[in-house]
Amino acid sequence: MAVYTDVSDEDLERFLSQFPVGTLVSFKGIAEGVENSNYLIATDDRNYILTLYERRVAENDLPFFLGLIDHLAAKGLSCPTPVRTHSGEVLSRLAGRPAALVTFLDGIWVRRPKAEHCHALGRAMAELHLAGADFAMTRPNALGVDGWRPLFETFADDADQVRPALGGQIEAELSTLEEAWPRDLASGVIHADLFPDNVFFKSGELSGLIDFYFACNDAFAYDLAVSVNAWCFETDLSFNVTKARAMFDGYQSVRQLTDAERQAMPTLARGAALRFLLTRAHDWIHTPKDALVKPHDPIPFLRRLWTHREMTSAADYGLAAAP
């Protein structure tokens, strides 16, 4: 989350008048993240999050994202819920941007996750996968395996500016993973970006999931692979198998993984590391030096990728064979 687009008091009050949310008390920008402009809105009714959509979020994808969180919330998953205008719409415009208002989710994200946090995340992820099973809309994963090479081509000539020989390493990984990628795993709606800052905890319990703007239809196990990369590496980038085992155990307390999903985990985890290396390298090269938000360093995901290349079995990830 960040603020790229400023909003005046008058424009905000006009925008909020479309919604049954009471009277504006205060608002402030939220500085974290890199994708959209976000504001915390306080009214005499309750708190809300206002999002103005920018950058990678295509406007024609917004009905999917907003419809999905509405569907998941109705299924009992704790996530933000879109607020409808008096005329029943969930999407409007503000300051020349598509904009939506969603309910505020209480809690904080954990900077140093422990095994118990990973277990709770795994369980919540499985609940998300099951809750999304009957969601009628679909959205391909634009940042899935078939999108990696086109993304790489947008910065391939400059890749070695990030790190010497990075371009050749990425090219080799792409060739390997495009050939090895499993394409027949159990699939459905996934979050695709469940990093710690998108998972809230309150009083030690998981209180909800946020930021569904990379959600799509893809392999369920790939969602786990993304979070293995995000949650199970320490600050020195060593892999913590105890955290990974806890995440898988939490997931399987709700939904059992198939043998094919288990066997595919080394490839999926390697691919997830490459996906974030690619997007972060792209942003590192193409983000202007005077941008409001500094892009994430891509090299930690290169180092994760090196780790995954040495891991060849599900057992290396703490994932036991099917009972």
Side-chain angles (χ1 to χ4, degrees):
M1 298 179 181
V3 175
Y4 298 93
T5 301
D6 289 325
V7 176
S8 69
D9 294 6
E10 296 78 9
D11 286 346
L12 179 58
E13 288 181 349
R14 263 193 305 273
F15 175 82
L16 292 177
S17 69
Q18 303 173 86
F19 300 88
V21 296
T23 303
L24 178 65
V25 174
S26 65
F27 73 102
K28 63 178 181 179
I30 299 172
E32 294 180 323
V34 295
E35 296 300 329
N36 302 306
S37 295
N38 292 272
Y39 291 87
L40 174 61
I41 306 293
T43 74
D44 57 5
D45 173 29
R46 59 178 296 179
N47 291 339
Y48 301 90
I49 298 294
L50 166 65
T51 299
L52 283 72
Y53 297 101
E54 328 227 16
R55 302 196 67 184
R56 289 196 184 101
V57 180
E59 188 168 355
N60 59 4
D61 282 334
L62 294 176
F64 175 89
F65 299 139
L66 296 170
L68 175 61
I69 57 175
D70 205 20
H71 175 88
L72 294 175
K75 290 282 188 174
L77 191 80
S78 181
C79 63
T81 306
V83 182
R84 295 184 179 275
T85 66
H86 295 296
S87 59
E89 302 297 323
V90 295
L91 188 62
S92 188
R93 298 194 74 82
L94 176 61
R97 302 285 191 274
L101 194 67
V102 301
T103 55
F104 177 79
L105 193 64
D106 201 11
I108 60 172
W109 67 274
V110 178
R111 267 64 177 178
R112 296 290 294 273
K114 299 178 180 178
E116 54 264 35
H117 299 119
C118 295
H119 187 279
L121 168 65
R123 181 177 182 87
M125 192 188 309
E127 291 171 346
L128 185 164
H129 294 166
L130 295 182
D134 58 348
F135 182 56
M137 301 178 71
T138 60
R139 176 180 180 267
N141 186 358
L143 291 172
V145 61
D146 293 330
W148 296 342
R149 187 171 293 276
L151 176 60
F152 176 52
E153 289 170 354
T154 66
F155 68 88
D157 291 343
D158 300 310
D160 290 358
Q161 296 178 19
V162 178
R163 181 185 178 94
L166 179 62
Q169 293 181 65
I170 291 175
E171 177 63 43
E173 285 300 314
L174 283 170
S175 296
T176 296
L177 289 170
E178 286 168 342
E179 181 176 351
W181 198 251
R183 297 180 181 270
D184 57 354
L185 300 178
S187 300
V189 172
I190 67 169
H191 185 285
D193 194 36
L194 278 173
F195 276 60
D197 58 347
N198 288 331
V199 183
F200 283 3
F201 288 83
K202 182 179 180 181
S203 301
E205 302 293 328
L206 193 149
S207 60
L209 310 177
I210 68 166
D211 201 354
F212 283 75
Y213 299 114
F214 287 102
C216 57
N217 292 81
D218 207 331
F220 295 136
Y222 177 70
D223 222 5
L224 276 165
V226 168
S227 291
V228 164
N229 277 282
W231 292 69
C232 302
F233 284 82
E234 300 302 328
T235 54
D236 64 357
L237 295 179
S238 61
F239 180 68
N240 187 320
V241 70
T242 301
K243 291 182 179 180
R245 184 181 296 113
M247 186 182 299
F248 292 128
D249 287 349
Y251 188 91
Q252 293 193 103
S253 70
V254 175
R255 176 187 172 266
Q256 282 291 314
L257 294 169
T258 66
D259 285 339
E261 288 174 309
R262 288 182 177 83
Q263 293 168 13
M265 191 53 61
T267 300
L268 295 172
R270 186 170 169 177
L274 179 62
R275 173 262 192 258
F276 287 97
L277 170 61
L278 288 167
T279 51
R280 292 185 177 198
H282 172 277
D283 291 351
W284 192 264
I285 291 167
H286 290 297
T287 299
K289 300 303 181 185
D290 60 350
L292 295 174
V293 179
K294 183 179 179 180
H296 293 297
D297 183 358
I299 299 307
F301 277 91
L302 177 62
R303 292 181 60 187
R304 285 171 169 85
L305 183 57
W306 293 345
T307 297
H308 294 309
R309 286 166 57 180
E310 302 301 316
M311 300 168 74
T312 59
S313 72
D316 291 337
Y317 292 89
L319 186 55

